Amino acid sequence: MSALAVRTGAINLGQGFPDTDGPPEVLDAAVAAIRGGHNQYPPGRGVPELREAIARHQQRFYGLSYDPASEVLVTAGATEAIAAACLALCEPGDEVVVLEPTYDSYQASIAMAGAAPVFVTLRPPDYRLDPVALRAAVTPRTRLLLVNSPHNPTGTVLDRGELEAIATVAVERDLLVVTDEVYEHLTFDGREHVPLATLPGMRDRTVTISSGGKTFNTTGWKIGWLCGSPDLVTAVTTAKQFLTYVNGGPFQPAIATGLDLPDAYFAGIAADLQAKRDELCAGLDRAGFGVFRPEGTYFVTVDIRPLRPDGDGMAFCRELPERCGVVAVPNQVFYGDPAVGRHLVRFSFAKRIEVLHEAAARLASLAVGGSDGEADHGEASP
Ligand SMILES: Cc1ncc(COP(=O)(O)O)c(C=O)c1O
């Protein structure tokens, strides 16, 4: 879809990456590290100053205490952390219980480990976790629960009750848990992100994953990390050793600088993004979509059926650049059974407000009876 955006010159609200740079302190620290000669392989577990900053961050925001020497691992983005965790913690034939829709690398990582996903589906309109479905998904073969909150693509921020339901199942069934918290600082309307590792009985069975990409607008740097008990971190390090070994030497100290920024920075990015969410959601609403307002992340999912009764999200996304100069992603790619998400489409609002304003104006032309009369022109094949 990004290639389609480039080819058609459309506004790319498909792939989730910001169109502004991160904080100057972080960028300057990377430049200084490059100029200062930090350009060779960093240590396998990451530069000590970043591991220490990660540990300080977990303590400062969540009261979680990790030993930077044995309980923190720096990875090539959260993506590598997820892959390495699946490879390290699963055996062929194991099952991984995962929230659906799923961020697209999860299914690939589970497959690479020879394991099988078992989906617990979050359903619109509110995309909450159903504890009964969660419990039913666990079998004697379940090895891991793979959780994502704040959740891409639905924007759900799991609340304490939902997290307690996960923790109860994990403790009762003695399961390991991997949680992907890359949007930890991007929650709205005062909603609190609660790491699963803070719940009773969870710290030592949970591998907590995050990344600097979303928090510091540095998605191209691919600096991620994970925290967990020494045994789990050592196991994941062993798999990571032969994936990338290490990455991003000069970017690691820069992300350390970011993690130590004052609280106002973290509150500021959430407030900024909340305003962007409101702008885009209002535009999507005006265009006539069914809008599922997200509680966090930088994505919003819509139901296209008011505009396209056949609900073919894939065809809709393929046509959208030509029809109104905007790119979105069909949510069916996030489902084990694509039919479940066929009528759903995801837009990203991690863009400058004027870009979102323009995108909203373009999308408004899709409104049934809209000025260009194109709303019924939805039959072209992909
Ligand atoms: C839920 C989720 N996890 C992980 C990632 C990837 O993070 P990274 O770029 O740090 O590998 C993304 C990126 O969109 C994501 O949405």
Side-chain angles (χ1 to χ4, degrees):
M1 286 301 166
S2 286
L4 185 61
V6 171
R7 200 165 66 239
T8 57
I11 298 176
N12 187 0
L13 303 186
Q15 201 182 1
F17 60 87
D19 61 354
T20 49
D21 270 332
E25 299 91 323
V26 172
L27 303 181
D28 290 347
V31 173
I34 291 170
R35 292 276 175 222
H38 294 271
N39 298 307
Q40 310 310 326
Y41 298 126
R45 288 189 176 215
V47 297
E49 65 191 286
L50 177 54
R51 281 184 279 136
E52 283 157 18
I54 292 164
R56 273 197 301 280
H57 170 275
Q58 295 306 93
Q59 182 69 54
R60 166 179 159 202
F61 285 98
Y62 311 119
L64 283 166
S65 143
Y66 289 104
D67 170 16
S70 62
E71 296 187 314
V72 178
L73 173 66
V74 177
T75 56
T79 309
E80 188 197 31
I82 294 157
C86 289
L87 289 167
L89 305 178
C90 296
E91 298 300 330
D94 284 347
E95 289 176 352
V96 178
V97 172
V98 58
L99 304 183
E100 181 189 52
T102 61
Y103 174 60
D104 52 5
S105 83
Y106 293 3
Q107 289 192 52
S109 295
I110 293 166
M112 283 192 282
V118 176
F119 299 108
V120 176
T121 305
L122 307 177
R123 296 183 192 278
D126 53 2
Y127 285 117
R128 300 319 314 178
L129 174 68
D130 174 357
V132 177
L134 172 69
R135 200 164 270 280
V138 175
T139 76
R141 298 163 81 105
T142 307
R143 175 78 177 154
L144 208 66
L145 305 179
L146 175 48
V147 180
N148 169 216
S149 178
H151 182 263
N152 173 13
T154 66
T156 292
V157 178
L158 295 177
D159 62 28
R160 231 169 237 288
E162 290 164 319
L163 295 166
E164 276 164 10
I166 296 170
T168 304
V169 170
V171 171
E172 263 178 36
R173 308 297 289 263
D174 195 20
L175 303 172
L176 296 174
V177 179
V178 172
T179 83
D180 174 351
E181 306 185 358
V182 297
Y183 299 102
E184 60 188 314
H185 291 292
L186 306 181
T187 62
F188 312 134
D189 308 316
R191 273 191 187 75
E192 187 194 9
H193 166 66
V194 180
L196 254 175
T198 59
L199 273 72
M202 292 306 287
R203 184 196 182 279
D204 288 343
R205 65 175 69 249
T206 302
V207 173
T208 302
I209 292 172
S210 194
S211 156
K214 319 290 172 184
T215 304
F216 305 113
N217 286 14
T218 52
T219 58
W221 290 8
K222 296 296 281 189
I223 301 298
W225 55 86
L226 56 88
C227 300
S229 68
D231 285 355
L232 292 180
V233 171
T234 297
V236 181
T237 305
T238 307
K240 184 246 183 323
Q241 167 102 7
F242 299 109
L243 291 173
T244 59
Y245 173 46
V246 291
N247 78 298
F251 300 123
Q252 293 193 16
I255 294 294
T257 300
L259 290 171
D260 283 334
L261 286 173
D263 290 356
Y265 171 76
F266 297 90
I269 56 171
D272 177 60
L273 209 57
Q274 182 173 322
K276 293 175 172 178
R277 174 201 63 175
D278 293 346
E279 174 75 24
L280 184 62
C281 285
L284 292 166
D285 214 28
R286 279 197 301 276
F289 293 103
V291 180
F292 307 116
R293 202 177 175 76
E295 300 172 332
T297 76
Y298 41 54
F299 301 108
V300 52
T301 289
V302 301
D303 182 343
I304 63 166
R305 286 176 299 185
L307 293 181
R308 184 173 173 126
D310 76 356
D312 187 342
M314 183 65 85
F316 179 83
C317 287
R318 288 204 160 118
E319 294 160 12
L320 199 58
E322 299 293 349
R323 289 180 68 193
C324 76
V326 175
V327 163
V329 164
N331 283 31
Q332 61 171 263
V333 301
F334 305 121
Y335 287 83
D337 173 7
V340 180
R342 186 171 178 273
H343 58 292
L344 302 169
V345 163
R346 188 193 79 177
F347 293 86
S348 168
F349 47 87
K351 305 293 168 192
R352 282 168 291 135
I353 200 94
E354 58 273 23
V355 173
L356 296 172
H357 195 72
E358 172 60 25
R362 293 183 185 189
L363 289 162
S365 71
L366 297 173
V368 176
S371 54
D372 66 358
E374 290 280 280
D376 295 330
H377 177 66
E379 303 308 319
S381 59

